[in-house]
């Protein structure tokens, strides 16, 4: 039936991002809120990258991964924010077909890579706490670079597959996306082809990424908990747990929202729910991550003080 409809319409060359259906006056308010969030995100993540780069005491595997996390937060937030902010001030709210594919490709790349980087950071804490004597060997610079490179490779594979499957669909007639950026669930809903295979691929890939990364995280923290409970002094336990607290908070925020968005059947959530959740993990989480790591981390706060004192 859909193939017959394909013949009656020309192929879509651009999409209209419907975004948030609010009155014009509220659109200006949303623009200011989103702009503030993006500015805080940029300042926070760039500051984190600079502080880690400048302070010699932060040249450790943990902060090497944190620097990469800040870079990824900055990248995928920018991929979404620039076009979203522009659309708040535009009446047309258009994005070209190629622009939509490009936006989704880089978004999927950076988000998937971040998921694996968070798993790598959990493994780093496991190595530091459970095998402190072998930690310099297990997490030498060569290993750290390979782990980050592997995360990017996994992110690239997922992004290529997702983008290839999604944009191999035909879009004819309807070109209005009920979202504020190009994302698979919204694109699948307006496709002319049978999207059953695409939905299965989206679910399997999302579940595979989430299960793989969360398994590494859960196993790492199970060993960490077992090791920490063997420490006799209460002060020693709290100090060890404090190094993991920021990471646990970031992991909970990231995987909680990603699981809600992608690892469930599309019929469960509504477009408006998806937009709210998407705002949280595309804009709010990249803003919160540097705040969580700076406010809860004494090493980072001390590094900032040392840098300011030099000036």
């Amino acid at each position: 039936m859909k193939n017959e409809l394909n013949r009656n319409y020309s192929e879509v060359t651009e999409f209209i991002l419907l975004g948030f259906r609010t009155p014009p006056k509220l659109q200006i308010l949303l623009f200011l809120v989103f702009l503030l969030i993006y500015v805080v995100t940029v300042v926070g993540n760039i500051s984190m990258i600079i502080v880690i780069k400048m302070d010699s005491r932060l040249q450790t595997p943990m902060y090497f991964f944190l620097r990469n996390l800040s870079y990824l937060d900055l990248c995928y937030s920018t991929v979404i924010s620039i076009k979203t902010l522009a659309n708040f001030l535009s009446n047309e709210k258009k994005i070209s077909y190629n622009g939509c594919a490009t936006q989704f490709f880089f978004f999927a790349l950076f988000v998937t890579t971040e998921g694996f980087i968070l798993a790598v950071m959990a493994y780093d804490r496991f190595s530091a706490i459970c095998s402190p004597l072998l930690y310099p060997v297990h997490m030498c610079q060569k290993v750290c670079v390979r782990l980050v490179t592997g995360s990017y490779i996994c992110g690239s594979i997922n992004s290529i597959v997702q983008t290839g499957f999604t944009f191999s669909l035909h879009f004819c007639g309807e070109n209005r996306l009920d979202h504020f950026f190009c994302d698979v669930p919204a694109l699948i809903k307006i496709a002319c082809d049978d999207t059953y295979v695409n939905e299965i691929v989206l679910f399997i890939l999302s579940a595979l990424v989430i299960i793989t990364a969360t398994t590494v995280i859960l196993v790492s923290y199970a060993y960490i908990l077992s090791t920490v409970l063997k420490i006799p002094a209460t002060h020693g336990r709290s100090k060890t747990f404090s190094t993991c607290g920021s990471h646990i908070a970031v992991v909970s925020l990231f995987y909680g929202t990603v699981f809600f968005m992608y690892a469930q059947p599309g019929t469960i959530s509504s477009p408006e729910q998806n937009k709210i959740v998407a705002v949280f993990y595309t804009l709010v989480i990249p803003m919160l991550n540097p705040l969580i790591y700076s406010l809860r981390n004494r090493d980072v706060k001390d590094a900032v003080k040392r840098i300011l004192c030099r000036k």
Side-chain angles (χ1 to χ4, degrees):
M1 184 68 179
K2 284 190 174 183
N3 289 332
E4 292 177 6
L5 290 172
N6 288 351
R7 299 168 190 163
N8 298 327
Y9 296 98
S10 58
E11 288 290 321
V12 167
T13 58
E14 62 183 16
F15 297 100
I16 298 172
L17 298 169
L18 297 178
F20 303 93
R21 301 180 184 183
T22 56
K25 290 183 179 180
L26 194 56
Q27 290 279 314
I28 299 299
L29 178 61
L30 285 175
F31 169 80
L32 295 174
V33 171
F34 276 52
L35 179 62
L36 177 62
I37 292 173
Y38 181 59
V39 169
V40 174
T41 300
V42 171
V43 172
N45 284 290
I46 289 179
S47 298
M48 183 66 74
I49 293 169
I50 292 172
V51 168
I52 294 172
K53 186 75 174 176
M54 290 181 64
D55 194 273
S56 59
R57 299 185 191 183
L58 299 183
Q59 304 307 306
T60 63
M62 174 181 171
Y63 293 104
F64 172 72
F65 297 132
L66 180 55
R67 191 174 69 188
N68 278 276
L69 182 70
S70 292
Y71 172 73
L72 290 166
D73 282 336
L74 183 63
C75 287
Y76 82 75
S77 177
T78 299
V79 167
I80 303 302
S81 297
I82 298 300
K83 186 60 181 176
T84 302
L85 290 169
N87 283 346
F88 278 126
L89 303 177
S90 172
N91 291 325
E92 294 185 338
K93 305 182 188 302
K94 292 180 180 178
I95 185 170
S96 67
Y97 181 91
N98 290 334
C100 186
T102 302
Q103 184 188 55
F104 174 73
F105 173 82
F106 283 107
F107 170 70
L109 166 63
F110 294 133
V111 169
T112 307
T113 303
E114 175 156 332
F116 284 110
I117 288 290
L118 289 172
V120 167
M121 292 173 76
Y123 175 73
D124 171 68
R125 291 298 82 209
F126 156 74
S127 297
I129 294 169
C130 299
S131 305
L133 297 178
L134 295 175
Y135 179 65
V137 178
H138 288 166
M139 300 304 291
C140 64
Q141 185 177 6
K142 186 181 289 187
V143 172
C144 292
V145 171
R146 286 176 178 174
L147 287 170
V148 170
T149 303
S151 297
Y152 274 95
I153 290 172
C154 291
S156 299
I157 292 171
N158 178 62
S159 181
I160 290 169
V161 174
Q162 292 274 22
T163 306
F165 266 87
T166 302
F167 288 89
S168 64
L169 293 170
H170 290 92
F171 301 94
C172 47
E174 180 61 71
N175 69 336
R176 294 176 299 173
L177 286 177
D178 195 5
H179 215 315
F180 61 92
F181 72 98
C182 292
D183 201 9
V184 173
L187 286 162
I188 284 176
K189 286 182 180 178
I190 65 168
C192 299
D193 299 328
D194 184 0
T195 60
Y196 176 76
V197 174
N198 293 74
E199 291 179 35
I200 294 298
V201 169
L202 170 63
F203 179 80
I204 291 174
L205 284 177
S206 300
L208 187 63
V209 169
I210 292 171
I211 291 170
T212 302
T214 52
T215 298
V216 173
I217 292 168
L218 291 174
V219 171
S220 296
Y221 275 108
Y223 277 102
I224 289 170
L225 182 62
S226 175
T227 301
V228 169
L229 290 177
K230 295 175 183 177
I231 299 174
T234 306
H235 175 70
R237 291 181 185 179
S238 60
K239 186 178 180 181
T240 305
F241 272 127
S242 66
T243 63
C244 304
S246 300
H247 182 256
I248 292 172
V250 170
V251 166
S252 300
L253 288 170
F254 181 83
Y255 278 104
T257 52
V258 168
F259 180 84
F260 181 89
M261 191 72 186
Y262 297 108
Q264 60 173 334
T267 55
I268 291 179
S269 57
S270 68
E272 296 307 314
Q273 282 180 318
N274 286 343
K275 289 175 194 176
I276 294 171
V277 175
V279 167
F280 199 76
Y281 76 82
T282 59
L283 299 170
V284 177
I285 288 179
M287 177 189 69
L288 291 178
N289 284 353
L291 296 176
I292 291 171
Y293 273 103
S294 60
L295 294 176
R296 292 180 56 88
N297 192 305
R298 181 174 293 178
D299 291 339
V300 174
K301 288 189 283 187
D302 289 343
V304 172
K305 289 176 184 177
R306 286 194 293 270
I307 292 170
L308 293 176
C309 287
R310 290 177 202 167
K311 298 181 179 181

